[in-house]
Amino acid sequence: MLSSFNEWLWQDRFWLPPNITWTQLEDRDGRVYPHPQDMLAALPLALVLLAMRLTFERFIGLPLSRWLGVRDHIRRQVKPNARLEKHFLTEGHRPKEPQLSLLAAQCGLTLRQTQRWFRRRRNQDRPRLTKKFCEASWRFLFYLSSFVGGLSVLYHEPWLWAPVMCWDNYPDQTLKPSMYWWYLFEMGFYLSLLMRLPFDVKRKDFKEQVMHHFVTVILMTFSYSANLVRIGSLVLLLHDSSDYLLEACKMVNYTQYRRVCDALFLIFSLVFFYTRLVLFPTQILYTTYYESVSNTGPFFGYYFMNMLLTLLQLLHVFWSCLILRMLYSFMKKGQMEKDIRSDVEESDSSEEEVAATQEPLQLKNGAARGPRAVPADGPRSRVTGRLNNSHTTAT
């Protein structure tokens, strides 16, 4: 059964243009072609990268965060409460006020104590700043290395400057060792990200990140197996050109260097918009949609690859909207605020509680209940002054 499925999966018509077979892409006369089984080496490489990441974060990332002044907030531990813990784990982290009142009555607590318990409990599950910094520093190191390495591999290739040349003599295109190793390391890195998903920092775009990683791994596997390495290499380089700037911006955002963070964010935004919203659709998508089939005609791999590239473009648009929101806030307030994808740690006293304790209650006749300032020139003030004067004269 497995052999029959394998035979069905690797049919020529799924992966290659019409009238092209796998036998034509066998290594011969010193000419080396990509083979699907080559990508199996990415699995052990992903494990090696995971070990390298753990070592880097512990012995380089963590000391670097302390040296740059990254400090974790002091968190108060919650008192054990089985009923509140059960509600937190099973029914939700943010109960509404009627639920909070019911839980407070059941546990013998006040409403404010119950609110404070849930805030502290939510804070316990939030990742610390040093963890975020270490994660961003590892990704920055890899993306920067990958971008520099990829640029050195592709700089002298003609299809970097003219994407239409990705289809010259396709699929009879040989594979250079440098291209193979770069592709392999990229594949291993994204596999390592998928392995670490349950343990990494979860942001509000977590689902989109998961989708992006899966699409990237499938696209890399398919492009390598179908000898679409040239166009795949352009997609990788284009993404790496802005990814390392994003991670650098995150790292500085966790420190106190606000101006550096603002400058990096502006540079990242410009590079992201240009590469993802201009170059990607006008150069990559255009050549894969139209120029790729000018000589061979459409086949299953053509539709499959363009579907994956379109998904990537939709993700680009989604993240561009988030960046535009941050840019709007930046232009309005003069400095970049927190990453809107991140969850912010709550203070021990919420804004609602502070407002409730400071705002006086209004009565029906418009008078305010609670302490208020007495006018300095009012009758009470004058009587108080006279009594103080008479007391001073008597003494």
Side-chain angles (χ1 to χ4, degrees):
M1 181 177 179
L2 184 60
S3 59
S4 60
F5 173 77
N6 189 58
E7 183 179 353
W8 172 84
L9 178 63
W10 296 105
Q11 294 181 70
D12 301 336
R13 61 188 181 91
F14 288 160
W15 302 83
L16 302 173
N19 303 320
I20 302 294
T21 63
W22 289 114
T23 56
Q24 296 176 252
L25 299 180
E26 293 294 332
D27 298 342
R28 61 184 183 277
D29 302 328
R31 296 170 61 87
V32 179
Y33 296 90
H35 301 291
Q37 60 269 24
D38 296 343
M39 285 288 99
L40 293 177
L43 291 173
L45 181 59
L47 298 177
V48 173
L49 288 173
L50 279 178
M52 291 176 60
R53 173 180 174 173
L54 295 176
T55 305
F56 173 87
E57 290 183 354
R58 179 165 184 175
F59 296 103
I60 299 179
L62 189 59
L64 180 62
S65 68
R66 293 170 178 167
W67 182 70
L68 291 175
V70 180
R71 295 290 181 266
D72 293 324
H73 296 291
I74 299 177
R75 297 175 177 175
R76 297 185 179 182
Q77 298 296 318
V78 297
K79 295 180 180 179
N81 190 306
R83 185 180 295 275
L84 297 182
E85 183 71 21
K86 181 180 179 180
H87 188 281
F88 183 86
L89 296 175
T90 58
E91 299 188 35
H93 299 176
R94 294 181 179 273
K96 303 295 182 182
E97 188 168 346
Q99 292 177 309
L100 284 171
S101 301
L102 180 61
L103 290 170
Q106 292 173 345
C107 299
L109 303 173
T110 64
L111 179 61
R112 186 171 300 176
Q113 288 174 332
T114 310
Q115 290 173 335
R116 187 177 296 116
W117 189 95
F118 275 97
R119 275 196 305 277
R120 293 178 178 176
R121 183 63 180 84
R122 286 194 297 268
N123 283 338
Q124 286 185 7
D125 287 352
R126 291 188 173 96
R128 296 184 179 272
L129 284 181
T130 51
K131 175 179 173 61
K132 293 181 179 180
F133 181 92
C134 291
E135 180 181 313
S137 61
W138 166 251
R139 295 192 183 194
F140 167 77
L141 176 64
F142 182 87
Y143 286 135
L144 180 61
S145 304
S146 179
F147 176 68
V148 174
L151 191 61
S152 64
V153 170
L154 296 179
Y155 186 79
H156 298 290
E157 300 294 347
W159 66 82
L160 175 63
W161 315 105
V164 67
M165 298 189 70
C166 291
W167 316 110
D168 287 354
N169 299 320
Y170 175 77
D172 189 16
Q173 299 170 349
T174 57
L175 177 68
K176 293 183 178 180
S178 57
M179 180 72 74
Y180 166 73
W181 285 109
W182 181 44
Y183 234 76
L184 187 66
F185 270 93
E186 288 272 8
M187 172 69 85
F189 177 73
Y190 279 102
L191 286 175
S192 70
L193 290 183
L194 287 175
M195 295 176 184
R196 284 285 302 180
L197 275 177
F199 314 102
D200 281 345
V201 176
K202 292 181 176 60
R203 294 179 169 85
K204 296 177 182 178
D205 62 343
F206 176 74
K207 294 180 181 179
E208 290 78 13
Q209 287 284 357
V210 174
M211 182 187 300
H212 174 269
H213 295 343
F214 272 108
V215 169
T216 301
V217 169
I218 296 173
L219 186 59
M220 291 183 65
T221 303
F222 178 82
S223 62
Y224 186 89
S225 302
N227 202 12
L228 294 164
V229 176
R230 290 186 178 183
I231 193 65
S233 64
L234 295 184
V235 175
L236 288 176
L237 186 68
L238 185 142
H239 282 74
D240 289 342
S241 63
S242 60
D243 284 342
Y244 75 92
L245 290 171
L246 172 63
E247 301 304 328
C249 189
K250 289 181 187 177
M251 291 170 60
V252 181
N253 188 40
Y254 302 140
T255 66
Q256 303 301 320
Y257 303 102
R258 303 304 308 172
R259 292 187 177 181
V260 178
C261 180
D262 295 343
L264 278 175
F265 176 68
L266 291 177
I267 296 173
F268 158 74
S269 301
L270 293 175
V271 174
F272 185 91
F273 290 144
Y274 180 67
T275 56
R276 308 293 178 94
L277 300 184
V278 179
L279 287 182
F280 191 83
T282 61
Q283 300 296 320
I284 304 299
L285 292 183
Y286 179 82
T287 192
T288 56
Y289 281 170
Y290 302 108
E291 298 171 340
S292 63
V293 291
S294 58
N295 297 325
T296 61
F299 60 104
F300 174 81
Y302 163 81
Y303 297 108
F304 185 69
M305 179 184 64
N306 281 295
M307 180 192 70
L308 295 176
L309 291 175
T310 303
L311 281 176
L312 279 183
Q313 182 59 23
L314 292 176
L315 291 173
H316 296 165
V317 174
F318 169 78
W319 282 313
S320 297
C321 293
L322 297 184
I323 295 172
L324 284 174
R325 288 175 57 188
M326 296 179 69
L327 278 174
Y328 174 77
S329 177
F330 175 84
M331 299 300 293
K332 188 177 180 180
K333 300 183 179 180
Q335 67 176 13
M336 194 189 82
E337 292 191 332
K338 65 178 180 66
D339 185 350
I340 59 176
R341 304 174 305 151
S342 300
D343 213 2
V344 180
E345 197 161 320
E346 297 172 276
S347 61
D348 207 44
S349 296
S350 68
E351 295 179 0
E352 292 81 1
E353 283 189 11
V354 174
T357 55
Q358 293 181 351
E359 182 180 355
L361 296 176
Q362 298 294 327
L363 300 180
K364 291 183 179 180
N365 60 2
R369 179 184 298 170
R372 55 175 178 154
V374 180
D377 58 347
R380 293 186 182 181
S381 179
R382 290 195 294 270
V383 171
T384 304
R386 291 172 183 173
L387 289 176
N388 289 335
N389 292 335
S390 62
H391 177 71
T392 304
T393 305
T395 56

